[in-house]
Structures are given as structure tokens and as C-alpha cells.
Amino acid sequence: MSNKLIAGNWKMNGSLAANEALVKAMLAGIGQPSAEVALCAPSPYLAQLQSLLQGSPIAWGSQDVSAHEQGAYTGEVSVGMLKDFGCRYAIVGHSERRQYHGETDELVAAKAQRALSAGVTPIVCVGETLAEREANETEAVVKRQLAAVIHTVGHCITEIVVAYEPVWAIGTGKTATPEQAQAVHAVLRAQLAAATTNSKRVHILYGGSMNAANAATLLAQPDIDGGLIGGASLKAADFLQIVAAAA
Ligand code: 13P
């Protein structure tokens, strides 16, 4: 495995003024990180991130991408547009999009493939709800979600990033324990290993209430290759502590 990857997901937060202050504080403190670092912003702010982050150690990306190349898809953003603004990453299949926008495994896979086709790395989110965990369906759910992507992108599977985000841990302060997270990451790694000889190349991130206090123990697990950070990515000091924990 190469360096760990710490990616912030700002979700629907920010403003020109707030973003500038946040990014400048991050750049002032980041030094030469030994982890890869990225920030995923709402689409209207990608141009701002490009101008603030160009030439810095922090990459940037979007929180979604259209499955379509271009055309009559009102409100959608194409991967070509993301490329125009220098995006390296696009989150796809976040549980908030699966839940509030009805995104299916097949649509998420199509989005991942569309991102790959333009050289943008999809960060594919998988994860079970609390009800699914309590019904002992965690493994089946995450495997089904990842299988759709493996089926669609074929040998390009080594080019994706996977993020395991248990839905019950997102924004709740209820983090998965390192053992719980590692157990699911090992399942995902085994599934990737069945699809490619290069499964170790794929970053498998953990997301869900990861913060400055719990990052180090989560990131010490053998199959946790980084984090996808929501709330704590809106605070420069917290995010920088997570980046430092990934060293
Ligand atoms: P929180 O870190 O706020 O729990 O969000 C996690 C997440 O959904 C990142 O995509």
C-alpha cells in the first residue's frame, strides 16, 4: 500500500469566505504531509478550490458526478466539467445520495465508470444501515454494493478508492470500533482480491465520525488505508490532526 489517503467531504456546507479561511488555515499548517490529502467541495466551489490549492499538497474533488457524458440532464455535473476544474476525485454513492436521491448500486457503478473514463478517481462509498447491521446483513450489503462496481468497471477496479461508511456512524458521533471497521475492510479487501491481483493498490477508507481523537487507532488497522471525513473536515485543526495521524 502506498501512502494513506485522507479526504474531506464538506457535504453541503461552506461559502466563499468560509472556504477561503478554512483552506488557508489548512495550507498554513499542513507542511509536507506523508499522507495523500484531498477536499471534496460542493460543485460551485470547485473553481475556488482550484485557485486556492493549485500547486499545494492538497488535491480536490466533487461529491458526485453524472453517469452521463453530456446533454439534457438538468442539474447534473459531468466528469468533463470536473476535469475542467482540476478535480482528481469524485465521491460516488455516498449514503446520503443513496438515501435521499434513490441512487441504486447500478447507478453508482455507472457513475464510477464515467469518472474513470475521464481519469477522475471515484471514491465509491459502501455501508450498511443500523437495521442491516442488527440483522447481521453488513457483509452481504457491502459486498453487493461493491460487486456492482466490480462488475461494471472490470479490470479498472484497481483505479478506484473504496470508502466504508457505516450509515449509523455518519454524523452521529458513534464511530465504528477499530475492530468493527477492520472486519468489514477485510471483507472488502478479500472481495477486491478475488477481482484483481492488485487489491493492495486500492485504498479502502473508513468514514463515519472519524475525528482527531479516534483517527490514529482506526488508521492503525491493517486494511484501513485512510479516512473520508465529514464534520471534522470543516475544522482546520481537527483535519490536520487526522492528516498527521495518517503519517
Ligand atoms: P462524519 O465524519 O461527519 O460522520 O461524515 C462522514 C461522511 O459521511 C463522510 O463522507
Side-chain angles (χ1 to χ4, degrees), residues 18-218:
N19 302 347
E20 181 168 343
L22 178 59
V23 168
K24 286 190 167 163
M26 287 179 181
L27 289 175
I30 199 159
Q32 284 297 327
S34 46
E36 294 173 42
V37 183
L39 295 172
C40 295
S43 297
Y45 298 126
L46 292 174
Q48 184 191 22
L49 282 194
Q50 183 178 36
S51 80
L52 288 168
L53 294 175
Q54 192 97 259
S56 84
I58 304 181
W60 59 97
S62 67
Q63 299 171 11
D64 186 27
V65 64
S66 177
H68 303 285
E69 189 176 1
Q70 60 169 56
Y73 301 102
T74 301
E76 295 223 45
V77 174
S78 75
V79 73
M81 296 168 190
L82 299 183
K83 284 294 276 189
D84 266 350
F85 290 95
C87 289
R88 185 177 309 164
Y89 297 99
I91 296 172
V92 301
H94 192 280
S95 63
E96 288 150 17
R97 296 211 58 87
R98 293 180 191 259
Q99 187 179 350
Y100 306 136
H101 302 272
E103 294 196 4
T104 62
D105 296 338
E106 289 67 35
L107 178 63
V108 172
K111 288 182 170 193
Q113 186 176 40
R114 181 63 67 190
L116 287 170
S117 73
V120 169
T121 300
I123 301 176
V124 177
C125 300
V126 300
E128 82 288 1
T129 63
L130 185 58
E132 288 164 341
R133 173 161 283 265
E134 287 175 344
N136 279 321
E137 291 168 3
T138 298
E139 188 169 328
V141 168
V142 299
K143 284 172 90 170
R144 187 200 74 221
Q145 292 171 330
L146 183 58
V149 179
I150 292 171
H151 176 77
T152 299
V153 309
H155 70 273
C156 292
I157 197 68
T158 53
E159 306 302 317
I160 77 166
V161 170
V162 177
Y164 169 54
E165 298 210 312
V167 178
W168 48 271
I170 295 177
T172 58
K174 261 182 85 174
T175 320
T177 64
E179 295 73 25
Q180 282 175 322
Q182 167 57 30
V184 178
H185 281 235
V187 165
L188 296 168
R189 183 83 66 200
Q191 190 178 6
L192 291 165
T196 170
T197 52
N198 231 342
S199 70
K200 288 245 166 13
R201 216 190 112 112
V202 180
H203 284 89
I204 308 178
L205 313 182
Y206 169 79
S209 299
M210 193 189 264
N211 58 40
N214 63 27
T217 47
L218 285 160

